Amino acid sequence: MDTVRLPSVTRVAICGGTHGNELSGVYLVRELQKRERETQQEAEPVSVVTVLSNPRAVQQCRRYTEMDLNRCFTSAILSKQLEVGALYEMERAQELNKILGPRGSATAMDLVCDLHNTTANMGLCLIAYSDDNWISLHVLKYLQREIQSVPVRLVDLGMTRSEAYSLESLGKHGLSIEVGPQPHGVLRADIFSAMQDGVRSMLDWIRRFNSGTFFQGGEVDVYTMVRSVDYPRDPETGSITAIIHPQLQDRDFCVLRPGDPMFLSFTGETQLFEGEEPLYPIFVNECAYYEKGIALWLTRLRKVQIPPVQVQAD
Amino acid sequence: MSCEVSLPEVKKVAIFGGTHGNEMSGVTLVNLWLKNRAEIRRSGVEVQPFITNPRAVEKCTRYIDTDLNRAFTPENLSKQEADDHPYEIKRALEINQTFGPKGSSDAYDVIFDLHNTTSNMGCTLILESSQDHFNLQMVHYIKQAVAPMTCSVLVNEHPFLQYSTSRSVAKHPIGLEVGPQPQGVLRSNIFQSMRLILRHALDFIELFNGGMVFPPCMVDVHQVTERVDYPRDTNGNITAMVHPNLQDCDWEPLNPGDPMFLTFDGRTVEYKGGNTVYPTFINEAAYYEKQQAFVITKRGTLTAGQIKVTKM
């Protein structure tokens, strides 16, 4: 493949606390802000801003106060004329669009990186909107080389820009870093450390890229979202009637074949996966997804060829 | 010193779930049993499943206004009913009416209160007294029955660290704490463990009521001695995390000089106590606001006297 030349990634935003109880990002952003105040900033080929996305939710240590902030970045909500008394997270989304965007404009951040935790056993997972953003895929390749303490993978949402709803879509490039497993409201040193390594290595790659380093192409594994699966529910009350099967619990990114156990009912019956092809489950038993009717997401694994990249000469 | 204790039949038992609305094993089990009591039915005893904090359960949150599991103080329980009380105080008064009054002869005999923790505590039974021979015999029976699965026993009689739980309205209160499980999440293995413990607990009650004599026995326990908070700055923000060497090591020895916390800039803070201690409730999510990173316990052995039912 020919080398792809891309503009430099000069302005980067690191966001934490988009969900107020996902503590690695909250504390990492606080630490980065402390260091900004304490250290001399040298001229660098990248300038980093840090944002605490949902301060009210962070204060209360809750996912959100009125509405999930990370679903508020749709075109509809960003362009809506908000009245007095509008939902807090909608107002905040519009504010963040002004600070980090406006989305789609020349003044938007080059890269928005949003930090999240999950109760699912997903290790360090990069989440991107598509599988052809070469910056994201090169960051994946670099992180996999640099980080040995946790598995590093990339999930592609398989969506177009116009369908975007989450914070990182405000930037010209957007990437979420999701680290788990960690209970919401808990700060684990090992998970914090993994996220810190992820952010550090990502910024490292960006500095090198901006400085003109040539990055070899290659092949990377990408997990593309296919569909979500809800819990079995009581048709009358809607309450769940089965739990993630013990053989599936904590087995994110492990292949799930048709006929494999998926749920265990309260009365002891096993329900099997009834798909037609082997798929890779993720976000298995993520706490926040109960209310969204999601027990797990299924993804398809593909190998993607990425081209060599180098920054565009000025 | 061994003794023989004659106790009346256990006639009224309750199983509390949802004292904290986001601790899902108890919520799910109680809801299951409210629909179908077959599993918890035992001859000669009424077993009442009950959701103690329904509004918190509905919102999948620990509590609405104040922690229900700290609300059963003598001061609160002596209040007059009033509409402007915090929700959980109102609930405490109602629960005390239905299952108490606390300290009276009308109170329920046994209440099991079902909890989950984000700490790696495994199955833990929590007692509020080291002198309750019935409870000590019950936990001894449960421990033997669930083996090789381990069941730890935590006794909290500490004058300042003990607290007024929802189950404390009963004559024999027992806390069931199973972890690790994130708040708001239902894990199959955790759910089944709690179900198993309750099955054996109810069997014990049925055997006791049926006249079985439980001879004197010894129970290994952990007794709460101290609470340790996170290091904090002048604004009250935490400045360090539970050290990776301590994280998930509930019930394991913590020796003087062992790593305890890791600051954000990578410095280790060591345990500076004089003796080896046994920490638990390590990194429980709900305790950040209660200024508690973990609780220190010492190991001990309690003797339970022989117990036998006296039928009226």
Side-chain angles (χ1 to χ4, degrees), chain A residues 21-303:
Chain A
N21 54 6
E22 293 176 17
L23 296 191
S24 307
V26 171
Y27 281 90
L28 191 52
V29 160
R30 280 203 186 136
E31 285 305 302
L32 289 171
Q33 287 174 341
K34 251 197 262 176
R35 260 163 240 183
E36 269 166 45
R37 287 196 292 276
E38 289 163 9
T39 63
Q40 283 277 3
Q41 288 284 42
E42 328 142 17
E44 294 194 78
V46 61
S47 89
V48 179
V49 302
T50 52
V51 178
L52 200 64
S53 319
N54 194 339
R56 250 192 231 180
V58 167
Q59 230 279 310
Q60 296 176 45
C61 199
R62 300 163 54 152
R63 182 176 176 84
Y64 56 81
T65 61
E66 292 170 299
M67 176 179 178
D68 191 335
L69 177 61
N70 215 28
R71 301 291 183 277
C72 285
F73 295 89
T74 60
S75 310
I77 295 178
L78 291 182
S79 59
K80 193 176 156 87
Q81 188 73 331
L82 293 178
E83 284 149 20
V84 173
L87 296 183
Y88 172 74
E89 276 87 6
M90 283 198 189
E91 280 183 348
R92 187 61 184 148
Q94 291 190 351
E95 232 171 74
L96 289 166
N97 191 32
K98 287 200 192 96
I99 300 170
L100 303 177
R103 185 165 68 193
S105 76
T107 56
M109 287 281 158
D110 294 310
L111 174 71
V112 172
C113 176
D114 194 19
L115 307 180
H116 286 268
N117 291 118
T118 172
T119 57
N121 187 24
M122 288 172 64
L124 194 159
C125 183
L126 301 176
I127 305 186
Y129 269 96
S130 65
D131 64 0
D132 60 2
N133 182 302
W134 307 131
I135 301 283
S136 302
L137 295 181
H138 270 274
V139 166
L140 168 69
K141 190 162 174 280
Y142 188 73
L143 257 53
Q144 282 177 334
R145 199 187 80 182
E146 295 292 300
I147 296 177
Q148 255 71 63
S149 57
V150 282
V152 177
R153 303 168 181 108
L154 186 138
V155 166
D156 142 42
L157 296 175
M159 280 181 180
T160 61
R161 276 271 157 169
S162 60
E163 298 168 289
Y165 55 76
S166 54
L167 171 57
E168 77 276 17
S169 71
L170 296 184
K172 292 175 186 147
H173 302 282
L175 204 55
S176 269
I177 301 183
E178 185 95 47
V179 188
Q182 180 172 268
H184 298 313
V186 165
L187 184 66
R188 286 182 65 104
D190 53 358
I191 299 287
F192 178 83
S193 176
M195 190 173 276
Q196 196 173 42
D197 288 347
V199 169
R200 194 179 286 145
S201 295
M202 181 190 72
L203 291 175
D204 209 32
W205 184 90
I206 291 172
R207 281 187 194 100
R208 286 172 199 242
F209 174 76
N210 291 347
S211 305
T213 307
F214 171 83
F215 288 97
Q216 283 280 13
E219 195 181 70
V220 288
D221 285 344
V222 170
Y223 295 84
T224 303
M225 300 282 228
V226 172
R227 65 176 185 276
S228 64
V229 180
D230 193 6
Y231 291 95
R233 288 175 189 272
D234 181 303
E236 280 169 32
T237 61
S239 40
I240 70 174
T241 55
I243 327 177
I244 296 286
H245 196 278
Q247 282 174 44
L248 174 57
Q249 179 68 56
D250 300 333
R251 293 178 60 78
D252 302 71
F253 294 108
C254 298
V255 66
L256 185 69
R257 301 192 168 85
D260 282 348
M262 203 150 100
F263 296 108
L264 183 64
S265 80
F266 299 132
T267 47
E269 284 108 38
T270 296
Q271 283 168 56
L272 306 175
F273 172 49
E274 279 167 9
E276 281 161 13
E277 57 176 309
L279 292 172
Y280 292 78
I282 64 169
F283 284 116
V284 176
N285 211 348
E286 160 54 51
C287 164
Y289 289 170
Y290 281 51
E291 69 174 18
K292 299 194 200 306
I294 299 171
L296 62 140
W297 274 93
L298 291 168
T299 68
R300 198 175 278 128
L301 172 59
R302 287 170 47 235
K303 302 223 175 272

Side-chain angles (χ1 to χ4, degrees), chain B residues 261-310:
Chain B
F261 295 109
L262 183 67
T263 67
F264 292 113
D265 41 23
R267 210 175 24 94
T268 295
V269 178
E270 290 150 1
Y271 176 58
K272 293 190 175 63
N275 303 312
T276 295
V277 292
Y278 297 84
T280 193
F281 275 119
I282 298 174
N283 209 347
E284 158 55 51
Y287 290 171
Y288 282 51
E289 71 173 20
K290 297 196 197 315
Q291 277 93 53
Q292 188 172 302
F294 60 92
V295 137
I296 280 177
T297 73
K298 65 173 194 235
R299 291 200 303 196
T301 309
L302 296 177
T303 308
Q306 173 174 295
I307 63 168
K308 188 182 162 178
V309 72
T310 338

Side-chain angles (χ1 to χ4, degrees), chain B residues 67-81:
Chain B
D67 194 333
L68 181 62
N69 215 30
R70 303 290 185 277
F72 289 76
T73 60
E75 190 202 330
N76 283 341
L77 295 183
S78 60
K79 286 186 172 142
Q80 293 294 344
E81 286 186 19

